[in-house]
Amino acid sequence: AYSIVLVIIFQIMMIFFMGSLFKYTVLILLAPFMSFLSEKVEADSTGKSYPFSMAQLVTDILRAIRINVLNFAREMLFTVVLWILALIPVVGIISPFALFIVQSYFLGYGLMDYNAERWRWSYRDTETWMRKNRSAVTTVGMIFHGLFLIPFLGWIFAPAWAVIAGTRVALNLRAQEGGKA
């Protein structure tokens, strides 16, 4: 009986792991398109355009891969901790909500990083800014997460809609800060 329960728990954990891996794979594969989309949203909002550079595109793709792989690893670390905490009575009630918030933060981070890479912020500056604006970053991730749960259509439209929302939010936050990192 215990072995059946363990197998079921393990299978559920694998479904969550594969779902997260799928989301990050989509973000990595769509990085060139989403970077371009974010740039166009900023150009429409501010009038500032960025000249195309193949070298910069490659740099941006490599940064997106690095950010998303790191975010995936950190998300998985927090996920395992929250799964363990879910086994504790009372704390287990909060765990699914905390898991959703953690996943949303890291997804939002990856979606809003297109702005930071375009603004040529270092990884450290980006990390500081994302933490400082964690509620906005998490909200963008929640938009993506919610839309991504819609089979097929969500998988197609969620990345674009979340990048548009993330770019607009980042521009507003940066304007409030006076344009600083």
Side-chain angles (χ1 to χ4, degrees):
Y2 289 116
S3 62
I4 292 172
V5 171
L6 288 175
V7 167
I8 291 170
I9 289 172
F10 182 72
Q11 287 177 342
I12 291 170
M13 290 170 58
M14 287 305 298
I15 289 169
F16 279 106
F17 174 80
M18 295 307 290
S20 287
L21 185 61
F22 179 65
K23 285 182 269 191
Y24 281 99
T25 301
V26 167
L27 292 179
I28 289 169
L29 292 175
L30 292 178
F33 166 74
M34 293 195 304
S35 180
F36 176 76
L37 179 60
S38 178
E39 184 179 312
K40 291 302 172 194
V41 170
E42 182 173 351
D44 287 346
S45 298
T46 66
K48 182 173 183 181
S49 62
Y50 295 86
F52 177 78
S53 162
M54 184 56 90
Q56 190 59 49
L57 177 66
V58 171
T59 301
D60 291 349
I61 291 170
L62 293 175
R63 178 182 167 120
I65 291 169
R66 176 182 178 213
I67 293 289
N68 284 300
V69 167
L70 285 171
N71 283 345
F72 176 73
R74 293 190 304 180
E75 180 184 312
M76 286 298 105
L77 177 68
F78 282 109
T79 298
V80 168
V81 170
L82 288 168
W83 280 342
I84 292 168
L85 291 175
L87 300 173
I88 302 170
V90 180
V91 176
I93 295 169
I94 299 167
S95 190
F97 301 105
L99 185 59
F100 179 73
I101 290 169
V102 165
Q103 289 178 345
S104 295
Y105 172 77
F106 288 114
L107 288 168
Y109 187 122
L111 291 160
M112 291 179 71
D113 182 62
Y114 298 110
N115 305 293
E117 75 185 26
R118 186 172 49 258
W119 299 333
R120 306 296 178 250
W121 289 356
S122 69
Y123 178 76
R124 177 172 283 161
D125 290 340
T126 302
E127 185 74 21
T128 301
W129 190 82
M130 295 291 183
R131 282 189 187 146
K132 178 179 160 194
N133 296 294
R134 76 174 56 98
S135 61
V137 172
T138 303
T139 302
V140 169
M142 285 178 177
I143 292 168
F144 174 79
H145 212 162
L147 292 171
F148 204 79
L149 291 174
I150 302 168
F152 305 110
L153 284 178
W155 304 343
I156 295 167
F157 294 111
W161 287 340
V163 165
I164 292 167
T167 301
R168 292 187 186 280
V169 167
L171 290 170
N172 287 337
L173 290 170
R174 193 162 186 225
Q176 290 171 6
E177 297 168 348
K180 299 179 290 192

